[in-house]
Amino acid sequence: IVLKQSQENPLATLFPEKLMDENSHVVAALPSLLTDSSDDTIEKYIIRHIAQTNFVMSILLYQAIEMFQKYVPFSINELDFLIENNKIIPENRFHIIKKGLYVALSDNDFYTAAHILLPQVEHIFRYLVQLCGDNITFRDKNGTETYKPLSELLSSKKFLECYDEDIIFTFDIILNQTLGGNLRNLVAHGLLEPSNDKYLSIFICLLIKFLYLYSSDHFQIITKLSDRDKTVN
């Protein structure tokens, strides 16, 4: 899509572009696609295209969660099916992840939920990369061992061999890319503004989907929904 649009409308990618945050700080730069068509530059345009598309998606997901809150009152324990015994959540993190999702879904407070969940999601990825057989730390010349940053975890070849590349790429855009949501870095440095909720609903829904795929009740739920749909039809 990016390459097709650049061919149909060359002026759209002819000039370099600087992207600014809501405080008018330059956070990323896009070179001209005409003078620089490297894989790295094309990937930047792809990320920006997806980020712009996600703006509409975030509104739809936010409205869907509002409808859920209005018509489906629930208690925190009803999230057990998603969290307890989930194969990708370290056992000692069940409670805090469940608490973060409950804050998002019951109180519509994505901002607070993000501060709870984003560090935990990074920990989940670190846990999964290790399960896939890759190192999660590196040593400097002094022998000091340091945890790898999220960007390196998400680009682990062994990790990408084990998990869906599209899902990981989406998490990377939302959590790590300055041309995308960059939520992880904004929260880590206290820069995420309460008004900046463009990506928060996407993050919450993507996390629910990711956890759901590895829920112990996943197969039973899919079977029940399939049987229900057959009965309705």
Side-chain angles (χ1 to χ4, degrees), residues 121-190:
V121 170
E122 182 172 355
H123 183 72
I124 286 176
F125 284 130
R126 189 176 296 114
Y127 173 68
L128 294 179
V129 168
Q130 189 172 38
L131 286 179
C132 292
D134 206 351
N135 293 324
I136 60 172
T137 61
F138 62 88
R139 295 181 185 273
D140 61 19
K141 60 182 180 181
N142 297 318
T144 301
E145 194 169 10
T146 306
Y147 283 111
K148 291 181 179 179
L150 181 62
S151 58
E152 290 194 33
L153 295 176
L154 295 179
S155 61
S156 163
K157 291 183 179 180
K158 292 185 178 180
F159 183 43
L160 293 173
E161 288 174 358
C162 297
Y163 289 88
D164 186 282
E165 190 172 357
D166 290 336
I167 292 179
I168 303 308
F169 183 60
T170 306
F171 270 114
D172 187 34
I173 291 174
I174 293 174
L175 303 184
N176 204 49
Q177 295 290 337
T178 54
L179 289 167
N182 200 24
L183 293 181
R184 182 266 177 199
N185 296 304
L186 292 175
V187 166
H189 299 290

Side-chain angles (χ1 to χ4, degrees), residues 1-19 29-38 41-49 52:
I1 293 174
V2 168
L3 294 176
K4 182 180 179 181
Q5 289 179 346
S6 68
Q7 292 170 357
E8 294 175 349
N9 184 17
L11 288 177
T13 56
L14 176 61
F15 302 103
E17 183 180 352
K18 292 182 178 180
L19 303 182
L30 280 173
S32 167
L33 199 56
L34 183 66
T35 58
D36 181 359
S37 58
S38 65
T41 297
I42 292 174
E43 183 176 6
K44 288 180 179 180
Y45 275 90
I46 291 173
I47 292 172
R48 187 185 68 161
H49 172 76
Q52 292 173 337

Side-chain angles (χ1 to χ4, degrees), residues 21 38 50 56 79-80 86 88 100 122 158 161 173 186 203 216:
D21 62 15
S38 65
I50 294 174
V56 176
L79 289 171
D80 285 350
N86 193 300
I88 65 172
E122 182 172 355
K158 292 185 178 180
E161 288 174 358
I173 291 174
L186 292 175
F203 165 66
S216 60

Side-chain angles (χ1 to χ4, degrees), residues 42-133:
I42 292 174
E43 183 176 6
K44 288 180 179 180
Y45 275 90
I46 291 173
I47 292 172
R48 187 185 68 161
H49 172 76
I50 294 174
Q52 292 173 337
T53 304
N54 277 343
F55 178 71
V56 176
M57 183 61 68
S58 68
I59 296 174
L60 296 176
L61 290 176
Y62 188 85
Q63 292 174 340
I65 292 175
E66 280 191 324
M67 290 181 64
F68 173 80
Q69 293 167 339
K70 182 177 180 181
Y71 296 108
V72 190
F74 71 103
S75 69
I76 189 171
N77 292 330
E78 290 179 88
L79 289 171
D80 285 350
F81 83 95
L82 186 66
I83 306 298
E84 300 294 329
N85 300 316
N86 193 300
K87 303 305 180 184
I88 65 172
I89 303 177
E91 188 172 349
N92 61 351
R93 304 299 175 103
F94 287 161
H95 174 73
I96 191 168
I97 292 175
K98 185 165 67 172
K99 182 67 174 180
L101 287 176
Y102 184 71
V103 168
L105 296 175
S106 65
D107 298 337
N108 205 26
D109 190 351
F110 294 165
Y111 184 71
T112 299
H115 286 76
I116 297 173
L117 292 172
L118 283 165
Q120 301 307 317
V121 170
E122 182 172 355
H123 183 72
I124 286 176
F125 284 130
R126 189 176 296 114
Y127 173 68
L128 294 179
V129 168
Q130 189 172 38
L131 286 179
C132 292

